[in-house]
């Protein structure tokens, strides 16, 4: 049941404030300023390093979480795509926690990577949407994301719920390891509880995304740029766009632009720049200006301060509510998804069932 929406994807995008709120309530029960994990949980004082493995969108959730675990908890993190990890057979040092992220919990490569780690990693964790899945059953600790059934082949609400659970886990790791005081943890938790409300505001103000998408639909290639936490999200934005609109899209870390991709810039190629007004904003904007100087067509996704400061010369500006920098990738996922969605609708593609793709990839 599409609940009055034209596509499951539209419904699932709209559900995100509710399901992210649900995930938050499961791990951060009201009236308490600590993180509650299922079962025995995990004591991060026993963990020296984290290896995260997944495919596709779930892999981009892992890449985002690397920034959180490293910045908040000071745990070194390695991230790999499952199909590479499993055949590389990497050494797993003692005191490693291996973490597998999968919406379906049945992705063949991710499951094989998990099985490779059994008996090698001290802890096998998973972040899954289907609690009865193989990946959940074969983990020491499975953390459900509470997104509800996801039907659209392009993952949307599972991605933001994966991010939410991974951020909560990073907060728990930081608290366990003394990297975050109880007061700082309480502050972070309070901020996170406000996220669904910001997501509602972002969805309510999404009309400019729709308008911009009508023009994006004319493009043959699109570039996404971001720095720090916005870099994995740029990768996810590019994946969403190519999956459902069949437009070729690529993402780069903004700082990599001048190392090659800047040669692609011309007036026909839209460049989507994701840049909340945070500590890295000036750096990203200076990369954006290199694009503008070569007559590139820039879509800037930022907050009010960022847009006021940097809007000169941009083709389209998408305004997000102001958000704590750590939460920005979850909030900015919404315009990235909507951009892909409206572009695909404008092109008339099969949004919920894109060609050549399956919801669950159980063969390698
Ligand atoms: C993209 C998408 C895929 C999946 C990937 C992993 O929108 O849905 O890239 O993220 O196939 O699937 P799961 O999470 O089920 O392991």
């Amino acid at each position: 049941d599409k609940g009055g929406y034209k596509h499951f994807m539209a419904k699932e995008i709209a559900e995100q404030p509710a399901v992210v709120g649900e995930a938050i309530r499961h791990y951060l029960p009201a009236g308490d300023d600590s993180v509650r994990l299922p079962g025995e949980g995990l004591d991060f004082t026993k963990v020296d390093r984290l290896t995260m493995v997944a495919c596709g969108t779930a892999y981009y959730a892992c890449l985002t979480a690397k920034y959180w675990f490293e910045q908040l908890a000071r745990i070194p993190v390695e991230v790999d795509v499952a199909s590479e990890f499993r055949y590389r057979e990497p050494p797993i040092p003692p005191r490693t926690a291996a973490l597998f992220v999968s919406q379906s919990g049945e992705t063949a490569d991710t499951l094989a990577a998990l099985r490779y780690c059994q008996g090698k990693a001290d802890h096998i964790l998973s972040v899954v949407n289907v609690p009865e899945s193989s990946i959940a059953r074969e983990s020491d600790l499975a953390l459900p994301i509470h997104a509800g059934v996801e039907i659209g082949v392009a993952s949307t609400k599972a991605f933001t719920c994966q991010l939410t659970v991974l951020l909560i886990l990073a907060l728990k790791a930081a608290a366990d390891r003394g990297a975050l005081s109880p007061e700082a943890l309480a502050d972070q938790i309070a901020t996170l509880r406000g996220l669904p409300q910001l997501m509602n505001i972002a969805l309510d103000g999404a009309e400019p995304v729709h308008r911009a998408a009508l023009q994006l639909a004319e493009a043959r290639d699109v570039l996404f740029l971001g720095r720090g936490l916005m870099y994995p999200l740029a990768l996810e934005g590019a994946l969403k766009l190519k999956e459902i609109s069949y437009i070729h899209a690529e993402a780069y870390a903004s700082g990599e632009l001048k190392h090659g991709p800047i040669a692609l810039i011309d007036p026909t190629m839209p460049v989507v720049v994701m840049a909340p007004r945070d500590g890295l904003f000036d750096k990203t904007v200076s990369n954006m200006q290199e694009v503008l100087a070569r007559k590139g067509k820039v879509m800037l996704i930022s907050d009010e301060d960022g847009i006021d400061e940097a809007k000169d010369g941009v083709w389209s500006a998408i305004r997000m509510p102001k958000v704590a920098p750590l939460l920005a990738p979850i909030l900015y996922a919404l315009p990235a998804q909507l951009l892909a969605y409206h572009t695909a609708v404008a092109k008339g593609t099969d949004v919920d069932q894109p060609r050549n793709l399956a919801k669950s990839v159980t063969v390698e």
Side-chain angles (χ1 to χ4, degrees):
D1 176 21
K2 294 183 193 141
Y5 290 90
K6 231 171 117 187
H7 301 98
F8 284 109
M9 186 180 179
K11 171 171 175 266
E12 289 163 0
I13 289 172
E15 276 170 4
Q16 291 178 103
V19 291
V20 163
E22 195 61 29
I24 291 172
R25 274 188 295 281
H26 270 89
Y27 291 93
L28 303 169
D32 189 356
D33 284 332
S34 63
V35 175
R36 188 195 292 164
L37 299 184
E40 313 250 296
L42 177 68
D43 176 0
F44 276 92
T45 62
K46 300 201 167 78
V47 173
D48 287 347
R49 64 191 65 75
L50 196 57
T51 292
M52 302 180 71
V53 181
C55 303
T57 288
Y59 169 68
Y60 297 142
C62 295
L63 279 184
T64 312
K66 175 181 169 79
Y67 290 76
W68 287 328
F69 277 100
E70 292 187 349
Q71 283 173 12
L72 290 165
R74 311 304 302 161
I75 299 183
V77 179
E78 236 197 310
V79 183
D80 209 345
V81 287
S83 56
E84 286 301 310
F85 180 89
R86 62 180 290 196
Y87 293 113
R88 204 174 67 245
E89 304 188 349
I92 310 286
R95 295 173 62 89
T96 297
L99 172 54
F100 303 86
V101 180
S102 175
Q103 187 283 127
S104 62
E106 302 295 347
T107 299
D109 282 322
T110 310
L111 182 57
L114 181 153
R115 288 181 176 154
Y116 170 77
C117 288
Q118 281 168 342
K120 298 188 186 73
D122 286 355
H123 315 273
I124 306 246
L125 315 178
S126 59
V127 169
V128 292
N129 198 28
V130 182
E132 311 77 35
S133 61
S134 307
I135 289 175
R137 280 187 281 108
E138 296 194 25
S139 314
D140 303 326
L141 175 64
L143 305 174
I145 60 172
H146 302 287
V149 178
E150 190 180 63
I151 294 172
V153 164
S155 186
T156 53
K157 62 176 180 169
F159 178 64
T160 46
C161 287
Q162 285 162 351
L163 289 178
T164 302
V165 171
L166 289 167
L167 174 56
I168 292 171
L169 197 63
L171 290 172
K172 153 97 170 112
D176 283 359
R177 293 160 63 89
L180 209 57
S181 68
E183 298 73 37
L185 176 66
D187 280 352
Q188 295 283 359
I189 289 175
T191 309
L192 187 52
R193 287 191 176 122
L195 178 62
Q197 186 50 31
L198 295 179
M199 295 173 85
N200 273 318
I201 296 170
L203 290 174
D204 287 345
E207 186 48 36
V209 182
H210 190 173
R211 260 179 282 136
L214 299 177
Q215 289 194 50
L216 212 64
E218 311 288 314
R220 205 189 60 172
D221 312 278
V222 178
L223 205 58
F224 286 74
L225 297 178
R227 246 179 215 270
L229 282 162
M230 287 296 124
Y231 168 47
L233 187 62
L235 290 162
E236 168 63 3
L239 176 63
K240 272 315 69 114
L241 189 68
K242 60 192 142 193
E243 267 188 295
I244 61 169
S245 77
Y246 314 147
I247 294 174
H248 168 234
E250 277 194 86
Y252 282 92
S254 309
E256 277 289 287
L257 186 68
K258 58 166 76 66
H259 299 286
I262 197 164
L264 294 169
I265 306 294
D266 71 15
T268 67
M269 186 162 72
V271 180
V272 180
V273 178
M274 307 205 171
R277 180 83 190 77
D278 60 14
L280 296 172
F281 182 74
D282 293 344
K283 302 274 176 203
T284 307
V285 166
S286 90
N287 303 128
M288 186 182 96
Q289 273 150 1
E290 290 158 9
V291 173
L292 290 172
R294 285 155 188 88
K295 308 229 170 356
K297 198 172 163 189
V298 171
M299 174 188 291
L300 173 63
I301 308 183
S302 186
D303 47 42
E304 184 152 14
D305 292 346
I307 288 173
D308 282 352
E309 212 172 303
K311 65 174 178 302
D312 283 355
V314 311
W315 152 61
S316 165
I318 308 291
R319 191 179 309 254
M320 290 287 104
K322 189 109 200 125
V323 63
L326 284 176
L327 302 185
I330 310 179
L331 186 69
Y332 281 57
L334 304 181
Q337 296 163 349
L338 286 166
L339 201 59
Y341 174 75
H342 289 302
T343 304
V345 171
K347 292 196 70 173
T349 58
D350 188 346
V351 173
D352 284 332
Q353 272 303 335
R355 67 187 182 201
N356 311 340
L357 290 173
K359 182 67 185 158
S360 183
V361 185
T362 54
V363 291
E364 64 173 293

